[in-house]
């Protein structure tokens, strides 16, 4: 039941020092549950036990801002220590998730016309983008990522419309 799930989450939270990251503006719940999943097993439920409510003025309803949404990438950095410590056999796949999420975030920055900010993120996370283009992702995504890494404003503007 949801009650016992809450007790289990509270126990695991205390045992492994897992709490909500207050510095994440968005996705703090995802980071919390990803950490929990690194230290225990989980099973699917056939019915919804909770519902997501969108509040006026929340990060998901405000005008898109990369500074808010960068948390969808940073959360992986916050979970990474739990992966390496408690689930090291998942580290390669987790790194691939980090690289893909980083690429998708930067692509969103570009598609929202925030070219100057995209250049900052490319500089910050360029190593992840390089790993992504050499990985196993879809060829179309890897080509777009390569174009992003070229930092050519004309190529980047083409990506916005692809």
């Amino acid at each position: 039941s949801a009650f016992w799930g809450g007790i289990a989450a509270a126990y695991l939270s205390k045992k492994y020092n897992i709490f909500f990251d207050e510095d994440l503006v968005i996705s703090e719940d995802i980071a919390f549950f990803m950490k929990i999943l690194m230290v225990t097993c989980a099973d699917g439920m056939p019915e919804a036990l909770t519902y997501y409510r969108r509040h006026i003025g929340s990060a998901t309803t405000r005008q898109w801002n990369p500074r808010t949404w960068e948390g969808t990438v940073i959360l992986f950095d916050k979970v990474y220590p739990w992966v390496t410590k408690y689930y090291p056999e998942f580290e390669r796949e987790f790194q691939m998730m980090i690289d893909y999420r980083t690429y998708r975030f930067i692509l969103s920055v570009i598609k929202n016309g925030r070219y100057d900010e995209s250049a900052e993120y490319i500089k910050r996370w360029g190593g992840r983008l390089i790993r992504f283009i050499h990985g196993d992702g879809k060829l179309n995504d890897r080509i777009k990522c390569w174009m992003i890494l070229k930092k050519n404003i004309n190529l980047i503007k083409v990506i916005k419309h692809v």
Side-chain angles (χ1 to χ4, degrees):
S1 78
F3 172 77
W4 292 113
I7 289 176
Y11 167 77
L12 292 169
S13 175
K14 286 182 182 176
K15 180 177 179 181
Y16 294 99
N17 199 31
I18 299 172
F19 299 97
F20 281 86
D21 288 298
E22 294 179 9
D23 56 330
L24 287 175
V25 177
I26 194 167
S27 301
E28 69 282 354
D29 53 342
I30 295 171
F32 176 82
F33 287 112
M34 286 176 82
K35 290 175 187 176
I36 292 287
L37 290 172
M38 293 303 124
V39 299
T40 191
C41 295
D43 200 357
M45 299 293 291
E47 74 274 356
L49 299 176
T50 61
Y51 293 95
Y52 183 75
R53 276 189 350 203
R54 294 176 68 177
H55 300 279
I56 295 173
S58 77
T60 58
T61 58
R62 279 183 262 154
Q63 183 178 1
W64 197 87
N65 180 335
R67 299 290 178 229
T68 301
W69 286 88
E70 71 183 11
T72 63
V73 175
I74 293 170
L75 78 91
F76 287 96
D77 298 326
K78 295 190 173 286
V79 175
Y80 193 75
W82 273 264
V83 173
T84 59
K85 185 172 183 178
Y86 299 108
Y87 196 13
E89 62 273 20
F90 182 58
E91 188 173 357
R92 182 180 180 278
E93 289 82 2
F94 194 77
Q95 187 64 59
M96 290 168 50
M97 288 171 54
I98 292 171
D99 299 342
Y100 177 74
R101 182 63 205 126
T102 302
Y103 154 70
R104 292 298 303 181
F105 169 73
I106 294 172
L107 185 62
S108 293
V109 175
I110 291 167
K111 287 188 176 239
N112 278 278
R114 310 290 282 267
Y115 305 118
D116 291 339
E117 288 151 308
S118 70
E120 293 173 32
Y121 290 117
I122 293 166
K123 182 178 179 182
R124 180 175 172 186
W125 289 320
R128 294 176 180 184
L129 299 177
I130 290 168
R131 274 195 312 266
F132 179 73
I133 63 172
H134 293 289
D136 299 329
K138 293 180 184 175
L139 182 59
N140 186 37
D141 284 331
R142 290 186 292 137
I143 290 170
K144 283 191 262 184
C145 188
W146 175 82
M147 292 169 71
I148 289 169
L149 278 168
K150 290 297 171 190
K151 299 180 195 167
N152 179 312
I153 194 64
N154 293 323
L155 282 176
I156 289 175
K157 285 181 179 178
V158 167
I159 293 170
K160 180 179 179 180
H161 301 290
V162 176

